[in-house]
Amino acid sequence: MRLHPLAADGLIAAALTTVAVLLGTEAVAQGWPALDPLAWTLVALLTLPLVLRTRAPVTVCLAVHACWAVYVTLGYWPVVGSFGPMLAVYTVASLRPTRAAAACAALLAGVWIYAGLRSDTGSMASVAGQAVGFPLVLWRFGYVARRTGELTLRLRAEQADRARREVAEERVRIARELHDVVAHHIAVINVQAGLARFVFRSDARTAREALDTIEGASGEALAELRRMLGLLRADGVQGADGAPAPGLDQLDEMVTRVRTGGVAVELRVTGTPRPLPPGVQLCVYRVVQEALTNVLKHAPGAGAAVELAYRAGEVTVSVTDDGPVEGLDPVTPAERGGHGLIGMRERAKLYGGTILVGPRSEGGFGVRLTLPTPVQAARRGDAVRE
């Protein structure tokens, strides 16, 4: 659980106040006057304003140094009030530009030397060394903290921008594939419409069948378009390469290719196969393709299993492996290219499905995709259960 910055600064101010109070009780033992109510008030003014140090660092730094100068002038033990000004200088160095930090560090050095002169201890060389060393160390640590914070914010912004670009690029690829699917439906509609018009008067039965085909194809095409327009928001779409969209009938071919790459893959189909829209087939195909590609890259020598299950109202595909074989080095994270996990999640989201990706308790890795079956497919056999 992360603390609110104001609460964290409050705890720091309370801790420094406690340390100052404990040191103040030792003033007499160190040869300095005992702290009276005025001294305790000044000690409180030296530490309690640090609650606001991140909100107004320069103002707080000037205020605590002014109180410290008054405290030293009144002849009290300077060490008791030194912690607040030191933390204030560090805060300015960590939050403000170098010029402001240098000015506050010089102020700390000046008050430190003034305290040495007022104490008249006879060891001014040591006091001067401290007056130079402490502000420099505090400025350096503050500068490193400021640079680290700036780099962290920049890194987070770059990571967020990269994630947005990866999602946009993946959606562009999905849009190109959906273009192929929709183009297929439109071509079918065009041919069937021409046939219906040609036989409209001479063969009513053929015309009705053509119109039924147009109804089914147009419904599936509209469903694809709704998904695309509802999800994709990408600019600069490049033209599709014209290749036909792969489907479930090509899973055997893909599994064979993966076997030649050294992965023993087993393909199992359960339930009663039935026709599915091209977009759903494409989603299943791409997820299996990406999962098996990850097995090739990151689990060399592993055995894998692909299971395609037709269930009532949905279709499920799972890809599992038993982990890399000892002695074979998987691809390291630095060598991994692309953004397959993002693509899998985007595809599942596009078709209203769910996907689970992660290591298995028995070892290896697993991907499980579940997609709802469209209404048209339900009419053609979703009543069949395993």
Side-chain angles (χ1 to χ4, degrees), residues 16 20 42-50 53 57-58 60-72 78-93 101 104-112 115 134-135 138-139:
L16 286 181
L42 291 173
V43 168
L45 293 176
L46 280 167
T47 55
L48 295 181
L50 295 173
R53 68 189 183 92
V58 175
V60 170
C61 184
L62 295 176
V64 297
H65 275 84
C67 291
W68 193 30
V70 172
Y71 177 89
V72 170
V79 174
V80 176
S82 63
F83 299 101
M86 293 173 69
L87 180 58
V89 170
Y90 166 81
T91 304
V92 173
C104 291
L107 178 61
L108 174 62
V111 178
W112 199 287
F134 287 161
L138 293 171
W139 172 83

Side-chain angles (χ1 to χ4, degrees), residues 171-368:
R171 290 179 176 180
V172 169
R173 281 191 289 274
I174 297 173
R176 290 201 297 266
E177 293 171 349
L178 288 176
H179 168 269
D180 293 340
V181 173
V182 173
H184 165 76
H185 289 305
I186 298 301
V188 171
I189 291 171
N190 182 63
V191 172
Q192 294 296 325
L195 174 62
R197 184 180 63 177
F198 182 75
V199 300
F200 185 75
R201 296 184 185 276
S202 60
D203 191 347
R205 180 179 178 181
T206 301
R208 282 194 300 269
E209 291 176 352
L211 291 175
D212 290 340
T213 302
I214 290 174
E215 180 185 9
S218 62
E220 292 181 358
L222 286 174
E224 300 290 348
L225 285 173
R226 289 192 191 99
R227 293 189 187 98
M228 180 176 63
L229 295 177
L231 178 65
L232 301 179
R233 295 291 185 270
D235 299 326
V237 178
Q238 300 176 355
D241 54 12
L248 297 183
D249 57 344
Q250 299 180 25
L251 282 179
D252 280 326
E253 180 182 347
M254 177 173 59
V255 168
T256 301
R257 289 198 304 267
V258 175
R259 286 197 188 108
T260 61
V263 176
V265 185
E266 179 184 3
L267 175 62
R268 296 190 299 270
V269 179
T270 59
T272 303
R274 58 183 178 272
L276 294 175
V280 174
Q281 295 191 47
L282 176 63
C283 180
V284 173
Y285 181 91
R286 291 302 189 200
V287 168
V288 174
Q289 183 182 50
E290 183 62 36
L292 291 179
T293 301
N294 287 338
V295 175
L296 283 169
K297 288 183 178 179
H298 312 309
V306 179
E307 181 175 355
L308 177 63
Y310 293 88
R311 296 190 174 93
E314 65 184 21
V315 61
T316 301
V317 63
S318 62
V319 182
T320 58
D321 67 80
D322 50 15
V325 175
E326 293 184 3
L328 297 179
D329 294 329
V331 177
T332 61
E335 297 169 334
R336 296 180 185 177
H339 27 268
L341 295 182
I342 292 178
M344 291 182 186
R345 294 190 180 98
E346 287 298 312
R347 292 177 190 278
K349 179 181 178 181
L350 178 63
Y351 289 94
T354 58
I355 188 166
L356 298 175
V357 181
R360 301 190 300 158
S361 58
E362 61 268 35
F365 203 81
V367 176
R368 181 181 179 86

